């Protein structure tokens, strides 16, 4: 059955003074929780859906606090059986990051609290990884907070990239064991107070031996990163200092650009899947910020409460929808085309500290996990756009951005008056 409107009988255009869709036209319905005796009392630290079998969900369990560390676990859940995982494997330390390979969907990369990176083949269920990093092979000295498989070139295949609070952004190759190469050793940067024009003039006249220690003082701790969809050699990094840096795989000694605006550690950063010059960041400073690649000031700041925003994700089907989770148990949906002042949907999970969010790519489903060991599954109504083209979604996002930046600028001007 096809429930889409017929093209030959389009709906009449809405009146110009029509109000935005009411909250009753949008909803989040709780379906079930992925939880069992094995997961209760554990913290859901990360989630990843399989690239080939969309109904398979890998969930990592690990504590964030040093004083509360215990063994880790990865559980593989399926829509066929929400009551018990298909397979579970345990680890000596907590699991902090997960990522399925796109080229080889059976390979799951796992990052651990002790800094180890390991590769598991889910076709052969076992607690022992196929590959793992050791102290002699580039193991991180701090927790691994994010992993991402990156297609750097058509011939080079996929590489795995990790980030850690030890300050290293590291690329791993699985062709010959688990070989590593540091793409960047993050260094702390203080926001410059001299005019940007003066900096550019100094840079144009400087020689290759010019020292930059006046601006770069010491190692910075990495928290999150994301590779740009349009350029697999470029990525943005979020740090514990609250700063964001744009980096290139071709330059390991300097940043291409730095973005200042957050006052707390960055927990997540992600490029828009539709507008490849925009990215989002969430922070412990209670805010989410929207950035443009060519602007070192945030375009829009979102804040709905006074709690850390522990994770965020762009909707894979609706270019203007953003999902966030907070440490006081709020699952929120923001829609740039409706409002940047408050979320269009909120679900409060009582007594739960939420840590991660994941949209389904195949269905209007969103999942969130927290410190009660459960992954809650919700169906969204009124926020998905499954039948629009990427070009249409890009235009919708650009229209929403235009109206919101104008309205935000007007509001700031009024406040200054």
């Amino acid at each position: 059955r096809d429930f889409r409107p017929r093209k030959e009988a389009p709906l009449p255009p809405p009146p110009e003074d029509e109000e935005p869709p009411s909250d009753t036209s949008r909803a989040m319905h709780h379906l079930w929780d992925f939880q069992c005796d094995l997961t209760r009392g554990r913290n859901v630290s990360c989630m990843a859906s399989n690239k080939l079998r969309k109904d398979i969900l890998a969930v990592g369990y690990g504590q964030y606090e040093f004083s509360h560390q215990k063994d880790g676990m990865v559980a593989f859940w399926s829509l066929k059986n929400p009551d018990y995982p298909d397979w579970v494997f345990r680890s000596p330390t907590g699991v902090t990051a997960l990522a399925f390979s796109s080229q080889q969907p059976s390979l799951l990369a796992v990052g651990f609290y002790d800094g180890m990176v390991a590769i598991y083949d889910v076709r052969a269920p076992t607690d022992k990884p196929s590959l793992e990093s050791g102290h002699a092979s580039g193991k991180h000295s701090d927790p691994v907070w994010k992993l991402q498989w990156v297609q750097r070139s058509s011939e080079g295949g996929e590489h795995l990239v990790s980030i850690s609070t030890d300050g290293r952004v590291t690329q791993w190759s699985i062709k010959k064991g688990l070989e590593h190469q540091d793409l960047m050793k993050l260094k702390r940067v203080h926001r410059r107070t001299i005019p940007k024009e003066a900096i550019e003039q100094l840079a144009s006249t400087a020689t290759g031996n010019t020292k930059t220690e006046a601006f770069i003082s010491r190692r910075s701790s990495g928290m999150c990163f994301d590779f740009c969809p349009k350029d697999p050699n470029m990525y943005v990094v979020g740090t514990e200092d609250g700063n964001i840096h744009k980096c290139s795989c071709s330059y390991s000694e300097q940043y291409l650009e730095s973005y200042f605006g957050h006052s707390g550690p960055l927990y997540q950063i992600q490029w828009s899947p539709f507008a490849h010059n925009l990215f989002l960041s969430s922070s412990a400073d209670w805010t989410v910020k929207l950035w443009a690649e060519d602007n070192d000031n945030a375009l829009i700041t979102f804040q709905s409460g006074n709690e850390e925003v522990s994770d965020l994700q762009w909707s894979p089907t609706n270019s203007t929808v953003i999902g966030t989770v907070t440490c006081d148990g709020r699952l929120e949906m923001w829609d740039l085309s409706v409002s940047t002042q408050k979320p269009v949907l909120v679900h409060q999970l009582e007594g739960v500290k939420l840590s991660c969010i994941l949209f389904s790519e195949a269905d209007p489903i969103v999942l969130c996990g927290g410190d009660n060991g459960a992954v809650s599954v919700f169906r969204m109504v009124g926020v998905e756009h499954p039948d629009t083209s990427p070009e249409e979604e890009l235009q919708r996002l650009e229209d929403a951005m235009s109206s919101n930046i104008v309205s935000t600028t007007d509001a700031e001007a009024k406040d200054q008056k």
Side-chain angles (χ1 to χ4, degrees), residues 112-391:
F112 296 94
Y113 191 87
D114 67 350
M116 187 175 76
V117 173
I119 308 293
Y120 290 81
D121 191 335
V122 298
R123 294 173 299 184
T126 174
D127 287 359
K128 184 175 177 58
S130 304
L131 298 168
E132 63 181 356
S133 62
H135 292 288
S137 57
K139 176 183 174 183
H140 288 287
S141 57
D142 273 10
V144 177
W145 293 117
K146 189 171 181 180
L147 294 166
Q148 187 175 1
W149 293 89
V150 182
Q151 179 75 29
R152 291 280 301 280
S153 65
S154 57
E155 299 178 357
E158 266 187 327
H159 293 279
L160 179 67
V161 180
S162 62
I163 193 169
S164 168
T165 36
D166 66 2
R168 294 164 52 209
V169 181
T170 305
Q171 175 179 282
W172 305 87
S173 174
I174 62 173
K175 289 185 176 180
K176 297 179 181 179
L178 202 57
E179 298 179 340
H180 81 284
Q181 172 192 355
D182 286 338
L183 299 179
M184 178 67 71
K185 291 183 178 179
L186 301 170
K187 296 176 182 177
R188 190 173 299 239
V189 175
H190 298 290
R191 185 165 193 171
R192 301 174 175 88
T193 56
I194 61 176
K196 187 175 181 181
E197 294 77 10
I199 296 173
E200 292 174 348
Q201 184 177 1
L202 288 172
S204 63
T205 58
T207 64
N209 295 325
T210 301
K211 295 182 179 181
T212 57
E213 292 301 321
F215 300 127
I216 301 177
S217 57
R218 56 193 176 92
R219 188 70 59 88
S220 180
S221 299
M223 298 292 291
C224 52
F225 72 96
D226 195 29
F227 273 78
C228 181
K230 68 177 180 182
D231 183 358
N233 284 312
M234 187 176 70
Y235 58 97
V236 285
V237 172
T239 66
E240 198 173 41
D241 314 325
N243 302 330
I244 299 171
H245 307 296
K246 183 171 70 172
C247 308
S248 170
C249 295
S250 304
Y251 303 98
S252 60
E253 296 297 326
Q254 63 186 38
Y255 306 130
L256 300 181
E257 184 70 65
S258 292
Y259 307 86
F260 303 94
H262 284 293
S263 58
L266 272 294
Y267 290 145
Q268 188 59 276
I269 194 166
Q270 188 189 19
W271 292 92
S272 166
F274 297 97
H276 296 161
N277 66 321
L278 301 177
F279 61 90
L280 287 166
S281 59
S282 66
S283 170
D285 66 5
W286 313 339
T287 69
V288 171
K289 292 183 183 292
L290 178 61
W291 308 81
E293 179 188 345
D294 58 355
N295 189 340
D296 56 8
N297 293 311
L299 301 179
I300 302 173
T301 297
F302 309 86
Q303 181 178 353
S304 65
N306 299 333
E307 289 291 336
E308 298 180 358
V309 184
S310 47
D311 197 11
L312 65 79
Q313 190 182 6
W314 290 89
S315 165
T317 59
N318 189 331
S319 62
T320 63
V321 168
I322 304 158
T324 64
V325 290
T326 65
C327 287
D328 62 345
R330 287 165 61 91
L331 168 63
E332 300 177 338
M333 293 294 145
W334 296 80
D335 192 336
L336 298 178
S337 65
V338 178
S339 173
T340 59
Q341 303 301 314
K342 63 178 182 178
V344 294
L345 289 173
V346 179
H347 185 91
Q348 179 72 54
L349 281 79
E350 297 296 338
V352 181
K353 184 178 180 180
L354 291 177
S355 54
C356 49
I357 184 173
L358 181 67
F359 282 101
S360 168
E361 296 182 6
D363 302 292
I365 299 293
V366 64
L367 307 95
C368 62
D371 63 355
N372 63 345
V375 174
S376 300
V377 183
F378 296 85
R379 179 179 178 83
M380 298 177 294
V381 177
V383 295
E384 68 277 6
H385 278 192
D387 299 323
T388 51
S389 67
E391 293 75 19

Side-chain angles (χ1 to χ4, degrees), residues 36-43 59-63 70-77 84-96 98 108 110-114 116 118-120 124-130 132:
C36 66
D37 293 339
L38 295 175
T39 67
R40 286 188 178 89
R42 294 180 177 270
N43 178 61
V59 179
Y61 302 87
Q63 307 301 123
K70 56 183 179 182
D71 67 318
M73 188 174 73
V74 175
F76 296 85
W77 296 91
Y84 206 81
D86 293 343
W87 171 43
V88 170
F89 70 79
R90 299 180 182 274
S91 59
T93 59
V95 175
T96 50
L98 293 174
L108 176 68
V110 183
F112 296 94
Y113 191 87
D114 67 350
M116 187 175 76
I119 308 293
Y120 290 81
T126 174
D127 287 359
K128 184 175 177 58
S130 304
E132 63 181 356

Side-chain angles (χ1 to χ4, degrees), residues 403-417:
S403 61
N404 275 304
I405 291 176
V406 170
S407 61
T408 302
T409 304
D410 291 345
E412 291 177 349
K414 290 180 181 178
D415 290 341
Q416 292 175 357
K417 290 179 181 179

